[in-house]
Structures are given as C-alpha cells and as structure tokens.
Amino acid sequence: LACRPHLDRRPQRLAVIDDFLQPGGYVEPPQRERGYRDDDEIILDVRGLSKSFDVREGLFGKRQFHAVKDVSFKLAKGKTLGIVGESGSGKTTVGLTLVRLHQASGGQALFHGQDLLGMDAKAFHAYKRRIQIIFQNPYASLNPRFTVEQILSEPMQLHGIGRDGGERRKLAQELLDKVGMPAGALQKYPHEFSGGQRQRIAIARCLTLKPEVLI
C-alpha cells in the first residue's frame, strides 16, 4: 500500500516493495515537475480526432455510431501520456485510428508536423516503423506457427535491420532480456507461455523497430 503513487507529488520513479525492505527504509527520489516544459519537443499533436461506424438498423436502415468524437492531445518526446476512460469510451479506437488500422472520420494527427491521417498509403508506409502499437489481446497478436525468434526477426528482416540472421538473433535475445524473458524463450512457440509472457514478447516485437511512439 505504501507503494501507491501520490497525487500531490511526482517522484522520478515509482516506489516498489523492495525499496521498503532496504536497510534504513525508503528514501523518496527527487521530485519531477508535471506537465510540459517550454523546451519539450511535441512529437505527436492530435487535433479533433473523430471516428464513426455505420451500424445497421432493421432490414435496410443504418445509423452512425460515434466511437471517438473531437479528441485532442499532445505527446512530448520522451514522455508518457495516459488516456483514461470507462470500457467502451473509445480508448482503443483512438490508438487503432492513429496507426490507421481504422480510417479516421475527421481530425488530424501531426507527427513531426506531418498529418498521418491525411497522407496516402505509400507515404504512410515510411512511418509504420516509427509508430508501433501493442495490441490488447496477447493470445491473438502473435503468430502461433512462429517461434519467438521468428516473431522478433521478421519485422527486422522486413525493415532491413541487422546484416544477417545471426545479428538479428543477437538483437532478438537482447530484446528478450530487456523485457525480462529467459534466454531459452527464443526457440519456443507462443502457446508455451502465459498471457503476461506473451504480452512481453509482443512488447519486444514492437521494440525491434526502435519506434519513436509506442501505443
């Protein structure tokens, strides 16, 4: 309970249980200011994002369901932004629309000044490596026929990362270490892991491309 974050102050990192088991007790790290500073680089500027779906009504009728309506926010480089809302409020739809897995109904998403939602598919292809998304369902987001090594190596191969298979294997191992997975995981298949472990593999797969924005 003592690890819970406080609303009135923001330390440089959150406390963990081990902090309170150390000799001398817990010493809170220095404070970090909230929000943006004047010198922060805004990497993603979303303005008036909207997404509507056509819903059938009766035999021939249809209506529009507004899943996301006029959402605006800014993301500074090197910082984390959380979007909070109840189930069904459109959080996932915002993320999927930003990576163009849904087509936006309106608004802009300026990434380094370029509107991701307004460019054609060929122009957007160059940005796919720079913006990655971790899907919610770890049971459906990994190819069950691939080993972990294949899952991590495929995006590197597609985007020309690593000189050969050996270098890509080494990079894949380093990423597994980064997300806390054992060395023997490379040759295993997704069904051999728990849901939490699969999500770590999915995070490692996103990190293979060294994205600038991670959703």
Side-chain angles (χ1 to χ4, degrees), residues 106-177:
Q108 293 179 304
L110 302 177
F111 180 69
H112 291 296
Q114 301 295 316
D115 184 12
L116 297 175
L117 308 181
M119 60 182 62
D120 58 34
K122 185 177 181 180
F124 180 69
H125 182 75
Y127 290 87
K128 287 184 177 180
R129 175 177 172 177
R130 301 167 70 182
I131 302 178
Q132 290 289 301
I133 184 169
I134 302 166
F135 295 100
Q136 288 177 292
N137 184 357
Y139 293 95
S141 61
L142 302 177
N143 189 333
R145 298 177 183 273
F146 277 16
T147 64
V148 172
E149 182 179 342
Q150 290 173 304
I151 288 170
L152 299 183
S153 297
E154 184 186 40
M156 289 191 270
Q157 190 172 1
L158 288 173
H159 290 273
I161 299 173
R163 289 170 295 184
D164 51 33
E167 186 172 335
R168 285 190 282 271
R169 187 178 303 112
K170 181 181 178 182
L171 290 170
Q173 185 61 67
E174 290 173 358
L175 287 167
L176 285 185
D177 293 340

Side-chain angles (χ1 to χ4, degrees), residues 15-138:
V16 295
I17 292 174
D18 190 57
D19 290 324
F20 296 92
L21 301 179
Q22 298 301 320
Y26 173 60
V27 178
E28 188 169 271
Q31 303 295 302
R32 184 172 60 186
E33 64 178 283
R34 289 182 177 274
Y36 300 116
R37 297 195 305 264
D38 292 337
D39 58 345
D40 278 340
E41 177 186 350
I42 302 300
I43 192 170
L44 185 63
D45 185 0
V46 178
R47 303 175 182 179
L49 181 66
S50 298
K51 174 60 184 173
S52 299
F53 295 95
D54 290 332
V55 180
R56 272 191 169 184
E57 274 195 343
L59 199 56
F60 301 107
K62 66 177 182 180
R63 64 179 177 84
Q64 280 202 326
F65 169 68
H66 301 291
V68 175
K69 189 175 181 181
D70 195 25
V71 171
S72 300
F73 59 84
K74 293 181 180 181
L75 174 66
K77 185 175 181 178
K79 291 194 173 181
T80 301
L81 173 73
I83 299 178
V84 181
E86 62 187 2
S87 180
S89 62
K91 303 182 299 296
T92 300
T93 304
V94 168
L96 294 176
T97 305
L98 289 176
V99 293
R100 293 182 36 154
L101 293 175
H102 288 325
Q103 184 176 354
S105 303
Q108 293 179 304
L110 302 177
F111 180 69
H112 291 296
Q114 301 295 316
D115 184 12
L116 297 175
L117 308 181
M119 60 182 62
D120 58 34
K122 185 177 181 180
F124 180 69
H125 182 75
Y127 290 87
K128 287 184 177 180
R129 175 177 172 177
R130 301 167 70 182
I131 302 178
Q132 290 289 301
I133 184 169
I134 302 166
F135 295 100
Q136 288 177 292
N137 184 357

